Structures are given as structure tokens and as C-alpha cells.
Amino acid sequence: MTGVAESTTPRLTRRVPIVTGFAIALSVSVVTISAVAAVLLGVRADTREIALPVFGFGAVVTFGVGLSDLARGREPRFARALIAAGLLWSLSALAASDQPTLYSLGRVGQWFVDLAIIYVLLSYPSGRLTERIDRALFAGGALLLGLLYAPTALLGQQFPSPAVWSKCISNCPPNAFAVGHSTPAFVPDLLIPLREVLTPAMFIAMAVVLTHRAWRSGPLLRRMYAPIAVIAITRALVLATYFGVRRANPASEILDVLSWLYVVSLPVVVLACSAGRLYRRLFAAGTLDRVARDVSSSTTPVHVRRALADALRDPSLRILHSFPGDSGAWVDESGSPVTVWPPATEQQMTEIASGSWRIAIAHDPALSEDRALIRTAGSYALAALENNRLNVELSASLRDLAESRSLRIAAEESERRKIERDLHDGAQQRLVTMRVKIGLAADQLEGHDPHGADVIRALGEDIDATIDEVRAFARGIYPPLLSQTGLREALRAVARGAALPTTVHADRLSRYPAEIEATVYFSCSEALQNAAKHARGATGVTIWVWREKRQLRFQVRDDGAGFDLQSTRYGTGLSNLHSRLAAVGGAMTVDSRPGEGSVIGGSIPLR
């Protein structure tokens, strides 16, 4: 399991060793380049003309890339390996000198360059030999150097010629490290032929390993390892051809071409490594762009997994997540629990946490080479899953709220009807009975006490007024006409009693749920009253009610003075109207301009 917690080491304590190491590496590099360049300036002109530019190119590439990575703290082990390889490669350039000691140092340095290239290729891009086969190949290269190359530096009076960096064939400087006065026969007869066979074989074996690694890697590492594998194959072929041609015809012009190909192989390796890492950064940038676009727009855990797998080009990728507050429960994207943790799988697990939210990504081990990429992509996935969960919770809360509002509206309408019935069947009927009795009493008093009969009749008129008020009050609570005939007739009844001349257009309406009809009725009534109170100069009002697809819509339009929406706040009437519509999932609209009247509208979804 790979965590994502960042190191808490202070920045200063990490930066000081980087600065010190960079300063030392820079100083050694500058001294080495200066010393070797001074030697090359003093060699023969025909050698200097090509050796000096090649050395300048190789030194700039090798030391430049290594120092740049070291300064940025990017894969410092690999950066140090590049600088060390550059030092050995610079030492091999001394083979261009005519001085025996410098020439001998250069020839021995060439052997170590091969071992350095083996390490660079096998440890790319981390600078570590992580696999057993890598360590075995490097150990084989070191053993080859120690058993077949190093002894000849002491036993051979002359190095094999021609050599790289030098054009000499028969007049080469002697071996300054030789012990004795003659070369043992087993050196040219056994050691040199054996190493000329095993060295290309070593690079062929390394090329096979790198090719297999590129083949089994994901798309990211495949394109990183492919150029390295090609270079290993090319170097093996160059070495085999070089050794064969040198043994057959030391004066062949082909050797000159092959020798310079051999020389520039290390700078080419460095350039290939840099190109691979550049591709990795470009791949990571493109991947994160796709992750940000596709994962962020995903609506379910399954869609998040598919989007992340497509972006990272890992079809086997899985996402496991745990619920906040339950540290031991893990489920996959379908919601199925994961009983074994960590799961028994060949994939690598990267766990990402944000507060109480956690996810674990099971991915191709090749993606672990760029942990920043998998962590960043995983953070997008975690945010998308959090957002999805919060949206689900919000949707559930909104559904509960809508159901609660519907129940409240239904309860209110039921209570309105009950009050209306109680007023009609109770208080209103008793008042009517009382009015009849008072009329009878007045008739009985007419012959005996005319004045008293007039007083009782006056009381009867008061009762009539009270009956009218009770009837109007009951109708305002819930008009019986609405439940009996529907919106059109109920709104026309409201229009007949309105303060302003009102026209109603509500044709082709059917019956709708009671809470929807009541909402439209009382909303139009409220808008009509609002026009009567605030529509200065209005001469009439028009009410429109119609069905549009799966919505019931209405508008109440007046021809008054209008008002400025930006500077006018909603009053109590419009606020109540907005709340009434929101309770059934509807929406209110207000459109008004000074001098153009006002339109108050609304829409209610029909389920």
C-alpha cells in the first residue's frame, strides 16, 4: 500500500544537502571539463578537429542534464549516475593524447564507460537497480571488467588498436601501467578475444531485458523504455561490428565511423533518457487534462472508474473507497464490500485520503514510476466521488423536503376545506336560522309594537351583513367553486369581485391535483390583489392560465406604471407567492419596466 501523506521535514533541511551536492558536482564537472579540454587542445590537429567538438557536445549534454536534475531535486540518484558517467566519459577522451600516461588513463576509462552505461540504462529512470535481473547484469558487467579488462592494464605492453578518440594504429603510445617488459601470450590469445565476445553479449542481454520491460509496461513506460532498448541493441551491434572489423582489418575506414558512434553513445543515452522523461511529463500533463475534464464530469462511481482508467490507459484499474466514519469498511465502485484488505492482486495499491474520505486505487505497477501522477489523478477521482456522494445526499434531502412540502400543502388544503365546511355548515347555518327567527319575531311584534319590530328587523340586517362576511371569509379560505368546477370558473369568480376590471383566459384546462389547483388559484388571487394595491394608473388586469408540456403555467398582467426590478424589493405579497410556489416545486417570475406595466407569472411541474 502506498500512502500519500507528504513529508513534514522542513524545506531548509532538505534544501541544504541538495545545494551542497550540486555545488560539489558543479565544481568537479567544471574542473574535469577544463582539464580534458586543455589536453585535447594539445593533441594532433587531425584528431583535435573532431575530438574537441565531440567532447564539447557530450560534456554539455551529460553534465548539463545531470546537473540540471540535481539542482531541481529530480531523481537525484539518477542525476548523480549521469554525472559519474560523464566523468568517466571525459576521462576516456584522454585517449586522444600522445602522452603515454594520459593515453593509458583514457583507454582504461573507456572500459568503465561501458559499465556506467550499463548502470544508466538499467537504473533508468529512478537511478536504482530495483529488479534482480538488473543487479545480476550489472554484477556481470563489473565481473567482466574485473576479470577480462583490468588485468590487461597491467600485463599488456600495448592496448589493442585502433582505439576510440585516437587515429593511431601502429604508432600508439605504450601502456604506462604495464608491469614487466613483455605481454603474456594468454592476453592476446584468450582475454582479449573472450572479452570482445562477452561485451556485445552483455549488451544484447541487457537489450533483451529492456525490450521485455518496455513490452510488458503500460503505455507510459513503454514509450520511455523503447528508445533505451533500441540504444542497447544498437550499442551491442556497434561493439560486435567494431571488434570484428578491428580484428580483420585494423586500417579499415569503417572503424573510424564506428569508433565515433561508440564515443557518442553515452550522450545519446542521456538524450534518450531526457526525451523519455519529457514524454512522461507531457503524458502526465495530457493525462491530468483528461482526468480534469472526464473524471470531474462523471456522475457515478462506475463512470469515475472508467474515466480514470481511460485517462491513465489502464483498463484493469479499480477504485475502492470507504465511507466517512467507518475506517474498516471498503467497497468497490459498484458498492460491493471488499472483505480482504489489501485485496490479493498483482496490481499496486495507492491510497489517497482527504479528511474522513479515503479511496484506494488498484493500478498497473508501471504507473508507480510516476507517483505524483497517480496521486494527482486519484485526488481528482476522490473529489469526484465526494461530489457524487454529496449530490446524492443533497438530492435525497431535496426529495424529502419536496415530500414534506407536499404533505404540508395537502394538510393545509385539507384544513382549509374543513374550516370552510365548518363555517358553512356551522356558523353560517346558525346565523341563517337566527335570521329567520328574528324575521318571524319581527312579524309577530308588528301589530303590538311597531317600533320594536323595526329594531328587530334592523338587527336582522346586521345578521345578513354578518352572513355575507362569513360567506366571503369561507370562500377566501377555500372556495367551494374551485373544488366543484376547477380553476377556470373559480378564477372568473375572483375576477368578478376584483377591484380592477379583470379578464380571465383559462380555456382547455383539465382537472389537476388539489394542491396544484389551490396554488395557482391563490397565486393569481395574490397577484390580482398586488396589482390593485401597487399598479398605479392601471385600467385592467388579464389572467392567463395554460398547460405547457408537463407544466401548468400562469401570468397575471396589468397595464399600470410598472417599476424597476433592480431597485425594488419584494413585498409581503410577492414573498408569500414565491413561498407558495416553491412549496410545490414551482417557480415565480416577475417582469416589469417603468411605463410598461407588470407581469407576475409562475410554473408548477405536473407529475
Side-chain angles (χ1 to χ4, degrees):
M1 177 68 65
T2 304
V4 296
E6 298 293 335
S7 172
T8 56
T9 306
R11 181 178 296 273
L12 182 61
T13 60
R14 292 200 306 266
R15 192 66 183 171
V16 169
I18 292 177
V19 173
T20 303
F22 174 77
I24 294 174
L26 178 62
S27 301
V28 172
S29 301
V30 170
V31 170
T32 301
I33 293 172
S34 301
V36 174
V39 172
L40 294 179
L41 286 172
V43 303
R44 294 182 311 178
D46 58 341
T47 301
R48 182 176 64 247
E49 288 176 356
I50 187 170
L52 196 59
V54 169
F55 175 74
F57 163 74
V60 168
V61 170
T62 307
F63 288 111
V65 173
L67 291 171
S68 175
D69 289 349
L70 196 63
R72 299 180 183 182
R74 181 188 300 156
E75 301 292 359
R77 290 178 64 95
F78 191 73
R80 289 192 292 269
L82 291 181
I83 294 173
L87 293 174
L88 294 172
W89 184 81
S90 299
L91 180 65
S92 73
L94 297 177
S97 174
D98 294 330
Q99 299 294 325
T101 301
L102 296 178
Y103 173 79
S104 300
L105 281 173
R107 294 301 300 269
V108 172
Q110 293 171 12
W111 304 339
F112 285 92
V113 170
D114 286 338
L115 187 62
I117 289 178
I118 291 174
Y119 183 88
V120 168
L121 291 176
L122 292 175
S123 67
Y124 173 75
S126 65
R128 294 178 174 84
L129 300 174
T130 56
E131 298 188 19
R132 182 180 300 177
I133 185 64
D134 297 337
R135 294 190 291 271
L137 285 173
F138 181 75
L143 192 64
L144 182 65
L145 177 63
L147 295 180
L148 300 182
Y149 281 90
T152 62
L154 300 176
L155 300 177
Q157 298 299 313
Q158 293 283 341
F159 291 99
S161 61
V164 297
W165 292 103
S166 175
K167 291 183 175 294
C168 69
I169 298 178
S170 59
N171 57 343
C172 297
N175 179 8
F177 306 131
V179 177
H181 301 285
S182 62
T183 302
F186 69 87
V187 172
D189 295 340
L190 178 64
L191 295 187
I192 292 178
L194 185 59
R195 76 190 189 188
E196 289 179 352
V197 172
L198 293 181
T199 302
M202 174 67 65
F203 277 93
I204 291 175
M206 185 174 60
V208 171
V209 170
L210 292 174
T211 301
H212 179 262
R213 185 173 300 169
W215 180 260
R216 67 180 174 86
S217 298
L220 172 61
L221 294 187
R222 184 176 299 123
R223 298 191 181 185
M224 289 174 55
Y225 283 125
I228 305 302
V230 170
I231 289 175
I233 295 173
T234 303
R235 187 172 178 83
L237 295 176
V238 169
L239 277 175
T241 305
Y242 181 82
F243 290 146
V245 173
R246 187 174 68 177
R247 183 167 293 275
N249 182 14
S252 173
E253 295 181 357
I254 298 178
L255 286 178
D256 193 44
V257 176
L258 293 175
S259 65
W260 289 115
L261 289 176
Y262 182 86
V263 166
V264 300
S265 58
L266 177 64
V268 171
V269 167
V270 175
L271 288 176
C273 294
S274 299
R277 288 186 299 179
L278 176 61
Y279 167 77
R280 183 173 67 176
R281 289 195 291 272
L282 294 176
F283 175 86
T287 297
L288 292 180
D289 180 67
R290 290 192 298 273
V291 167
R293 182 182 65 249
D294 299 337
V295 173
S296 301
S297 61
S298 299
T299 56
T300 65
V302 173
H303 291 158
V304 171
R305 186 203 69 78
R306 289 176 181 170
L308 191 62
D310 290 343
L312 295 174
R313 302 180 187 178
D314 180 10
S316 64
L317 182 142
R318 295 173 60 207
I319 297 179
L320 312 176
H321 61 279
S322 67
F323 295 103
D326 191 352
S327 59
W330 288 88
V331 298
D332 60 19
E333 59 268 14
S334 65
S336 302
V338 178
T339 55
V340 179
W341 186 258
T345 175
E346 296 181 357
Q347 295 175 305
Q348 185 150 349
M349 305 295 295
T350 298
E351 185 175 338
I352 301 170
S354 174
S356 59
W357 295 81
R358 293 186 302 157
I359 65 170
I361 301 177
H363 55 83
D364 188 332
L367 290 172
S368 298
E369 295 290 344
D370 197 335
R371 300 199 176 181
L373 172 63
I374 192 67
R375 284 198 299 265
T376 305
S379 297
Y380 275 104
L382 177 59
L385 290 172
E386 285 186 65
N387 185 60
N388 172 260
R389 183 176 177 86
L390 293 174
N391 283 337
V392 170
E393 293 178 354
L394 178 59
S395 297
S397 298
L398 291 176
R399 284 195 301 270
D400 292 342
L401 178 60
E403 291 175 1
S404 175
R405 284 176 169 176
S406 293
L407 291 175
R408 180 172 64 83
I409 291 295
E412 288 179 357
E413 300 307 328
S414 177
E415 191 62 25
R416 284 174 179 272
R417 294 186 183 189
K418 181 178 180 299
I419 294 173
E420 189 274 332
R421 287 195 302 269
D422 289 345
L423 288 174
H424 181 273
D425 299 338
Q428 185 176 336
Q429 293 301 323
R430 284 194 293 273
L431 287 171
V432 170
T433 302
M434 186 182 298
R435 176 68 179 86
V436 172
K437 290 179 178 179
I438 287 178
L440 294 174
D443 291 341
Q444 291 175 1
L445 287 176
E446 182 66 35
H448 304 86
D449 187 0
H451 178 70
D454 291 338
V455 172
I456 292 176
R457 287 192 178 92
L459 182 59
E461 293 174 357
D462 290 339
I463 293 176
D464 287 337
T466 303
I467 291 173
D468 291 338
E469 290 178 1
V470 170
R471 184 179 294 114
F473 180 63
R475 187 179 299 111
I477 292 176
Y478 194 91
L481 198 59
L482 178 62
S483 60
Q484 294 169 5
T485 62
L487 274 171
R488 184 177 62 179
E489 298 304 325
L491 289 175
R492 286 178 176 175
V494 171
R496 286 192 292 269
L500 292 172
T502 302
T503 303
V504 177
H505 297 279
D507 298 330
R508 298 182 182 178
L509 293 180
S510 58
R511 298 306 302 268
Y512 304 101
E515 65 271 16
I516 293 180
E517 289 188 339
T519 300
V520 174
Y521 174 84
F522 287 112
S523 296
C524 290
S525 300
E526 187 70 45
L528 191 57
Q529 294 178 16
N530 191 77
K533 292 179 182 179
H534 304 294
R536 292 178 289 105
T539 60
V541 177
T542 304
I543 299 176
W544 297 82
V545 183
W546 73 99
R547 176 171 179 167
E548 184 177 293
K549 296 182 180 179
R550 299 192 60 81
Q551 287 188 330
L552 189 61
R553 304 176 67 89
F554 70 88
Q555 282 187 353
V556 179
R557 183 188 301 268
D558 67 66
D559 59 356
F563 59 92
D564 184 3
L565 289 172
Q566 302 297 324
S567 61
T568 304
R569 299 180 60 184
Y570 288 174
T572 303
L574 290 182
S575 298
N576 290 340
L577 195 155
H578 178 272
S579 299
R580 183 183 293 275
L581 286 168
V584 291
M588 182 186 76
T589 60
V590 179
D591 185 17
S592 182
R593 295 179 182 84
E596 298 183 11
S598 302
V599 180
I600 298 175
S603 60
I604 301 174
L606 298 173
R607 298 178 180 84

